[in-house]
Amino acid sequence: MAIQLIINRELGLNYNENPWQGSYVIDYLTDAVEEAVLQEFERLNERGGVLGAMDTMYQRGKIQDESMLYEHKKHDGSLPLIGVNTFLPKAEAEEVVELELMRSTESEKQQQIDELSRFQQRHNADKQAWLSKLEEVAARRGNTFEVLMDAVKHCSLGEISHRLYVTGGEYRRNM
């Protein structure tokens, strides 16, 4: 029932007779998405490409603005979402269930720590080379993903995170 409500109310496909077989609605929506993507690419290009836009924190600001707009619309009801702000269960029918959080036992924690120590000892010889290579790529603003894929085979998440933190600094949200 919820899926039918979502299709009917949120997607709006019930407002068109046959939305799938070459219909105007799907063509219109496709064109609208293509146009919006093209405009966003042009805005990025005006800022000097992706790296230039990153320098001015354009992408981060855009994501924050859109997230705030979405949350406001969701909160004030102007964007109806099934089960979030519409078609909610009756207050007296709600049953509050206390959930117990799953915790690791001390032996599981110690096992993970021991496994990490063994991993670090096994890869101690080539760890610094991979961390240096990662630092070099990050410092020249290259593609760190490729290096990360190999570095994780020799370095722990903590070691990688620390090296990236030392190289690039701490993330601070743009207010």
Side-chain angles (χ1 to χ4, degrees):
M1 175 95 174
I3 293 172
Q4 290 174 343
L5 284 171
I6 291 170
I7 290 171
N8 291 336
R9 296 282 177 113
E10 292 183 19
L11 294 179
L13 291 182
N14 61 334
Y15 297 119
N16 187 287
E17 191 173 305
N18 186 1
W20 301 118
Q21 300 205 350
S23 75
Y24 170 76
V25 170
I26 298 299
D27 289 342
Y28 174 79
L29 292 174
T30 302
D31 292 342
V33 168
E34 286 177 354
E35 182 62 29
V37 168
L38 181 61
Q39 288 176 359
E40 193 59 42
F41 283 160
E42 288 173 356
R43 284 192 285 272
L44 284 172
N45 193 34
E46 290 169 1
R47 288 164 174 79
V50 174
L51 292 178
M54 284 174 65
D55 286 338
T56 61
M57 292 194 226
Y58 171 74
Q59 295 99 321
R60 184 178 297 158
K62 187 78 169 169
I63 291 169
Q64 289 173 352
D65 292 344
E66 291 296 322
S67 296
M68 185 64 78
L69 179 66
Y70 174 79
E71 288 300 321
H72 280 299
K73 284 184 171 186
K74 185 172 73 172
H75 185 69
D76 68 14
S78 60
L79 176 66
L81 297 173
I82 307 302
V84 176
N85 58 9
T86 58
F87 300 105
L88 297 175
K90 306 228 178 337
E92 63 272 2
E94 277 190 41
E95 180 182 326
V96 178
V97 177
E98 191 73 27
L99 294 177
E100 182 181 341
L101 294 177
M102 188 173 174
R103 301 277 185 202
S104 299
T105 64
E106 286 301 319
S107 64
E108 290 171 329
K109 290 178 190 177
Q110 192 57 48
Q111 179 185 4
Q112 190 65 31
I113 291 169
D114 294 342
E115 185 61 36
L116 176 61
S117 295
R118 285 192 295 276
F119 175 83
Q120 289 173 331
Q121 288 171 359
R122 268 195 320 268
H123 298 287
N124 199 28
D126 41 342
K127 170 178 62 174
Q128 287 305 321
W130 283 105
L131 289 173
S132 296
K133 185 172 184 178
L134 179 62
E135 181 178 4
E136 173 194 326
V137 170
R140 64 179 163 80
R141 300 180 71 169
N143 183 3
T144 57
F145 186 76
E146 185 178 346
V147 179
L148 277 172
M149 294 303 290
D150 291 323
V152 295
K153 297 173 185 173
H154 307 278
C155 309
S156 70
L157 176 61
E159 293 166 336
I160 291 171
S161 299
H162 180 70
R163 184 59 64 101
L164 289 174
Y165 173 76
V166 168
T167 305
E170 183 178 356
Y171 165 76
R172 296 195 193 289
R173 184 171 179 212
N174 186 17
M175 297 300 222

